[in-house]
Amino acid sequence: MSEVEVTLENVGGFVNKHTFKFKAGTVNIVEAPNWAGKSSLIKGITIALSMPFGSELSKEVAQRIGLIRKEGDTREPLIHVGKKEATIIIRRDNEKRICLLNSEKGYVVKPEGDHRFLLTSMLTRSSEVVRRIADGDSNFEWILREVSLAERYEKIKSLFEKTRYEISLKIDELGRRIEQRNRIKEELLKLQIEIKKAKEKERDLNKAITSLPRVDPQLENRRNELLKQISEEETKKYSYKKRIEQLSKEITEIKHRYSSAEVNFRMLSEELKNTENAIRKIEAELKSLPSEEIVKKWELELQKINDARERLREKEGEIKGELKVYEDVFNFMQQNKIKETKCPLCGEGTVTYEDINFKVNELKARLKNIHDEISRNIRYRNELYQKIRLREEREPSLKREKEKLSEKRSEIAKRIRDIKLKLEAAQKEVLPLQNAIKRTKTELKQVEDRITELREQLKEIDMKISEKGEKERKLIEELGAIREKIEGLDRSIENNKKVLEELETTEINEITVSLDIALSIMRKWLRVIDEVMEFIDSEIRREKMLAIERFNTEVKRILTEVGLTDLEIWIDSNTYNLHVVTEGKPQPLVSLSGAQKHIISVILQLALKEAYMRDEPFFLIDEVMLDFHGKSQESIMKYLYEATKKFAWTTIITKLGEGKGIVIRSLS
Amino acid sequence: MTNHEEEIKKEFINEIKRLVKDRSKIENFEDIIEEKFQQFLKVSLEEGNK
């Protein structure tokens, strides 16, 4: 009996190298207490035999049993805590399988394992069969897909479905483009018909215009003659206007030339006027001065005034003397308090103090009157004197001023005469020009009248021929509109042709192909894909059928061999559902007891192993799975033992032991 | 479908049969589909031009 050697280094709870030896062709019992490393051993063997996990289901199972860690996984990792690498080596006869696990780089398994090992060669509480039976899930299509080539065909099919979808999109797109192209073609055809009709209409209108009756030639000639005459008169009118403009320009130039003289003339005229006014003013003032006779009279009067003033002065002296006497007496009497005295002048009689006082006051009053008279006299004298002196002084100055102004007036008058001569010369130049303008304006008026008259005549003729003109105008208008339409249609046709050109072809794999050919090719390609997919579908069905057949055969055989003859189990080839019949009665999985489910799980796992992975020598079993009572356990264990022996499997049953480490013994 | 096109279909099926036995190559099957389409396109265009 050959041996199988399993070496684990840094796997799970094992640090450094640990080698376990098993016997091939028999059932090996692995006994160990909890935490001794049973699970690490089973996981190590499993990962080395099932990597890589090639299907979604196998990945799911691998995660469930802790071969692949997922986020939040609290179970013991496959690589020992604190280590980065782990190694698993399995030796059997001359075969060696190495599995290197690296926490950063991943894994390497040589030779590669088979993910179906997880589904067929493990009988633990985490096995897929056990789990599904426990859940009462009767759909067993999964196992058919996993163990046969159906799963690979399905993978290929999914790629074809993607391709098919892309082809369908392309066909739809081509269909839409062809539809659009056909619509544009139809539109183009309509436009072409329309343009043909429009061109026919254009021809008809041209013919209609040409065939309109001719106008009376005499009227036409007369009209042309009038137009010619109007044109000639217009030319004349233009030349007259130009002539007037030219003459006006010449006059302006002359006036411009003499404009400073004109200004000077106006200024000097104003100055002359002012000078003459000033002379007149002086003459009036001179005239208002007193005559010589009056002056002589004033001089005589002045003499009289002087004489009168002399007299008044004398009188004043007299009164002052008399007043002096009386005042002295008065003062004496007052100081001496004398009441009466003799007349101070004549020394006779008696005068009283009051008389003296009266006399003083009287004399003072007389003196004042004399003073007033003298003042008047002086004022009058001054007035006369002033008048005489004023006349003596003013008259010569006025005369001098008048003389000066007279000289100025003569000078201005002379300059005005010179300027007048210049302006007269200018007037002589301008006058013929003004006359010429006047004449030309008369001629212009005549021409304008003539034009008005000719236009009236033209209007009359136009009215006569307007009936024919109206018809022609309408036809020409219509012709214009139809030509515009033709241009628009031409543009639309060109645009549609451009769009059509773009729509005529498409690109397939960078090759330009016409739309129809592209559609035909894509449709044929779709047919090819559909036919290939039909083949794939048939292969999937065939594979599944073969798998069912094989599975059902194995289950039936095992049931017979273990003596469970009242139990029938099979997968339905149409529904892929697992059917269980006990004592002739169909039993839904959910209605089965725990023990029944247990036994069925073991039978199915044995059938899967034998049907699909008989050549894989390892079969890993948790003793708990065989924990049922009675004949069934005994016969199943016997069957397991025989099958292990027959197929040279290395069956490993893990068992909770009471010793300190792992103990391996073979079942005899 | 012409004979050539039919032939390509058969080749396709044979290729698939061959590939299901070799799992690793299935991942590259998209490239094979593209390659077959190129052949199909070439043949179809040649047939169409005749």
Side-chain angles (χ1 to χ4, degrees), chain A residues 291-308:
Chain A
S291 62
E292 278 183 21
E293 283 173 4
I294 290 170
V295 172
K296 274 180 187 169
K297 219 173 160 183
W298 283 347
E299 281 170 349
L300 283 173
E301 186 77 15
L302 198 62
Q303 191 56 48
K304 281 179 188 173
I305 290 165
N306 285 335
D307 291 346

Side-chain angles (χ1 to χ4, degrees), chain A residues 279-331:
Chain A
I279 289 169
R280 270 195 293 278
K281 216 172 165 184
I282 288 167
E283 280 171 346
E285 199 179 342
L286 277 171
K287 210 173 174 182
S288 69
L289 287 174
S291 62
E292 278 183 21
E293 283 173 4
I294 290 170
V295 172
K296 274 180 187 169
K297 219 173 160 183
W298 283 347
E299 281 170 349
L300 283 173
E301 186 77 15
L302 198 62
Q303 191 56 48
K304 281 179 188 173
I305 290 165
N306 285 335
D307 291 346
R309 194 175 66 247
E310 281 301 315
R311 283 194 299 275
L312 285 169
R313 293 281 180 206
E314 280 173 15
K315 190 76 176 169
E316 184 192 16
E318 283 171 17
I319 291 167
K320 275 184 176 177
E322 199 175 342
L323 180 62
K324 175 82 169 85
V325 171
Y326 278 100
E327 276 179 339
D328 289 342
V329 172
F330 178 77
N331 290 331

Side-chain angles (χ1 to χ4, degrees), chain A residues 54 115 151-153 155-156 159-160 162-163 508-509 521-522 524-525 527-528 531-532 535, chain B residues 1 5 9 12-13 16-17 20-23 26-27 29-30 33-34 37-38 40-41 44-45:
Chain A
H115 74 275
E151 184 254 344
R152 296 189 190 185
Y153 276 116
K155 263 197 174 167
I156 292 173
L159 295 174
F160 270 99
K162 190 180 161 206
T163 305
I508 305 178
N509 285 23
I521 289 173
M522 293 315 288
K524 279 192 223 170
W525 180 237
R527 209 155 58 232
V528 170
E531 285 182 21
V532 173
F535 161 76
Chain B
M1 208 178 278
E5 289 162 355
K9 187 187 88 181
F12 220 154
I13 288 170
I16 291 165
K17 282 180 182 170
V20 287
K21 289 171 188 169
D22 189 346
R23 177 186 297 276
I26 292 176
E27 310 301 327
F29 201 73
E30 271 178 319
I33 296 174
E34 187 52 41
F37 177 62
Q38 283 284 16
F40 182 83
L41 182 64
S44 299
L45 288 172

Side-chain angles (χ1 to χ4, degrees), chain A residues 243-260 262 426-427 429-431 433-434 437:
Chain A
R243 171 96 180 117
I244 290 166
E245 266 177 36
Q246 183 59 35
L247 290 167
S248 301
K249 200 176 165 189
E250 282 174 31
I251 290 170
T252 310
E253 275 172 12
I254 292 166
K255 283 187 173 172
H256 181 70
R257 209 160 62 234
Y258 288 101
S259 61
S260 60
E262 186 83 38
Q427 191 58 29
E429 275 186 69
V430 167
L431 198 63
L433 296 173
Q434 283 173 333
I437 287 175

Side-chain angles (χ1 to χ4, degrees), chain A residues 467-641:
Chain A
E467 199 184 332
K468 187 256 177 186
E470 184 64 17
K471 273 185 186 172
E472 193 172 17
R473 190 185 59 75
K474 279 183 180 170
L475 287 170
I476 287 169
E477 261 180 26
E478 211 179 326
L479 187 64
I482 206 84
R483 280 179 180 158
E484 221 170 88
K485 189 181 176 183
I486 289 169
E487 277 173 27
L489 288 168
D490 257 337
R491 277 196 298 275
S492 299
I493 287 170
E494 280 310 305
N495 288 342
N496 277 325
K497 277 183 179 172
K498 268 186 198 168
V499 177
L500 203 59
E501 206 174 300
E502 282 168 19
L503 281 172
E504 280 295 358
T505 57
T506 186
E507 282 207 346
I508 305 178
N509 285 23
E510 296 175 2
I511 299 170
T512 306
V513 187
S514 85
L515 277 190
D516 298 311
I517 291 173
L519 185 64
S520 157
I521 289 173
M522 293 315 288
R523 279 181 176 157
K524 279 192 223 170
W525 180 237
L526 185 69
R527 209 155 58 232
V528 170
I529 296 294
D530 280 343
E531 285 182 21
V532 173
M533 282 176 80
E534 270 174 33
F535 161 76
I536 292 170
D537 279 338
S538 73
E539 284 301 292
I540 291 168
R541 275 195 302 277
R542 198 175 67 85
E543 282 291 324
K544 284 180 178 173
M545 282 304 123
L546 286 173
I548 288 171
E549 204 180 307
R550 202 163 162 186
F551 177 79
N552 287 344
T553 308
E554 289 302 325
V555 171
K556 197 175 176 182
R557 186 181 57 75
I558 293 168
L559 284 171
T560 311
E561 286 192 25
V562 297
L564 295 168
T565 47
D566 57 347
L567 186 62
E568 288 176 69
I569 306 170
W570 77 94
I571 294 174
D572 186 281
S573 58
N574 293 318
T575 62
Y576 306 127
N577 280 343
L578 187 79
H579 290 267
V580 176
V581 175
T582 56
E583 294 169 351
K585 287 180 187 169
Q587 299 286 346
L589 285 183
V590 285
S591 69
L592 295 172
S593 68
Q596 282 174 317
K597 282 181 180 174
H598 215 125
I599 292 169
I600 289 168
S601 298
V602 174
I603 300 295
L604 292 182
Q605 194 66 68
L606 281 167
L608 289 173
K609 173 76 179 162
E610 281 201 55
Y612 307 115
M613 285 199 91
R614 185 181 284 170
D615 297 335
E616 168 49 58
F618 276 95
F619 192 20
L620 309 176
I621 301 167
D622 187 347
E623 191 204 32
V624 183
M625 294 311 300
L626 302 172
D627 189 19
F628 39 85
H629 301 287
K631 278 185 184 173
S632 300
Q633 192 199 34
E634 199 180 310
S635 58
I636 286 169
M637 280 303 288
K638 192 181 172 193
Y639 178 84
L640 181 62
Y641 181 80

